[in-house]
Amino acid sequence: MNGAAVVRDAMELMVAGPDASVLRLGLLLPLSGPLGLTGPSGLAAARLAAGEATSAGRPVELVLVDAGRRPQEVARDARSLAEAGLVQAFVGYHTSDVHRAVEAAIARRSAYFFTPPQEGGTREQGVVLLGGSPADQLAPALRWLAEHRRPRRWALVGSDYIWPRSVHRVAAPLIRSIGAEVVLDRLLPFEPVVGTGAEEAVDALLRVRADAVLLSLVGRDLVRFNRLFASSGLGSRVLRLSGSLETNGLLAIGGDDTGELYSAMRSFAGQDSERRIALAERHRAEFGDHGPALDVYAEGLYDGVHLAVALAAFGALAPERVAAAAGRLLAGAPDARRAWAAAPLGPPRAGGYLARADGLDLTVVSRY
């Protein structure tokens, strides 16, 4: 049995004040906004990790912050928690515009574990990145698709904010390197309405005769585009590759049986790797068969909480030390192994997978 995972309210803590007897982590989780559909999965996974750490004698409390709001609102709340000393570190996933705002707000004040795929580039002191860069995600996936599917005319469609722009910059030369060409590069408005411009983008795909499209949309925008795409008749004729499609998104789309929808991520629910099976068993024991889906964002958050706990045990949560120490723990340095004692599955493995939608499931076709 896991120890009870305590989730604290930030306003309550402003009155109660710091508590040195527990490790308090600010949990930056999207409960609303584009990624809000993944929020319940992320919260369950964070609670699972916190409960495991507490059972192992390292008490952890989670302080929940809705990271699906506008960047300045999330950054303001994170800064308040950091300045008051109410949390020792932050762990979260959310869109990269929120990430950059939070990073600036808590720079040099607190460690910050950002767990989803990320845009690459330099970071402020104290930031630890667990997710892959666009090149990490896309290069192996594009090579596999070039070998097995041979698409020649690629379109790039994403939301107009930091991560998709970076994906497009990286993807264009990668596509050319596999002997294909980019025939469309389109960024759709990200704020304030969902997916405006999606209909025009689908029409543009018809005009340019694309036979593959790289989708750098997230959450609700990715769902809406794929629904439009399917209704246009292109679904069974044009290959789609996403760097953000996970189980919750596929369920919201209604599944896909075309054999043309692929996703490149660090893991997928239902894959047969030993670590993923063990995590799924722990998740099921805690939340039952009808708990939130254990999607890739949730797994990243689970690992992020355990990494923060391990670094606290290693005495390395200070912003000036955390990035280098995290690298040693993730690499399995001999003197750091005891720090993982509260993490039953140990550190996450590097690399990722390419999966194809098969109804309501994502079936792995390649590991890298």
Side-chain angles (χ1 to χ4, degrees), residues 98-122:
V98 172
H99 166 61
R100 293 295 186 165
V102 170
E103 179 181 6
I106 64 172
R108 303 178 184 275
R109 291 189 177 95
S110 177
Y112 174 27
F113 300 86
F114 186 59
T115 64
Q118 42 82 23
E119 66 272 14
T122 59

Side-chain angles (χ1 to χ4, degrees), residues 67-88:
R69 297 168 296 155
R70 293 186 180 274
Q72 61 271 26
E73 296 172 351
V74 183
R76 178 199 62 213
D77 289 353
R79 182 189 296 113
S80 295
L81 288 169
E83 289 179 342
L86 297 176
V87 300
Q88 283 77 40

Side-chain angles (χ1 to χ4, degrees), residues 168-216:
H168 285 205
R169 285 194 300 271
V170 170
L174 286 175
I175 287 169
R176 290 192 291 270
S177 75
I178 58 173
E181 62 177 324
V182 176
V183 297
L184 180 73
D185 189 333
R186 187 64 51 87
L187 292 170
L188 310 184
F190 188 54
E191 292 284 356
V193 278
V194 179
T196 53
E199 295 90 345
E200 193 277 331
V202 171
D203 291 340
L205 292 173
L206 284 165
R207 291 195 302 271
V208 300
R209 295 178 291 111
D211 51 23
V213 55
L214 174 62
L215 294 173
S216 300

Side-chain angles (χ1 to χ4, degrees), residues 101-190:
V102 170
E103 179 181 6
I106 64 172
R108 303 178 184 275
R109 291 189 177 95
S110 177
Y112 174 27
F113 300 86
F114 186 59
T115 64
Q118 42 82 23
E119 66 272 14
T122 59
R123 292 303 195 278
E124 294 281 357
Q125 187 180 80
V127 176
V128 176
L129 304 174
L130 271 71
S133 69
D136 296 331
Q137 275 191 288
L138 295 178
L142 288 169
R143 286 195 295 268
W144 190 94
L145 291 169
E147 179 181 352
H148 292 85
R149 299 300 310 275
R150 294 181 172 83
R152 299 302 302 273
R153 297 174 61 81
W154 281 84
L156 311 179
V157 178
S159 301
D160 192 6
Y161 75 103
I162 300 168
W163 178 71
R165 292 181 207 136
S166 180
V167 169
H168 285 205
R169 285 194 300 271
V170 170
L174 286 175
I175 287 169
R176 290 192 291 270
S177 75
I178 58 173
E181 62 177 324
V182 176
V183 297
L184 180 73
D185 189 333
R186 187 64 51 87
L187 292 170
L188 310 184
F190 188 54

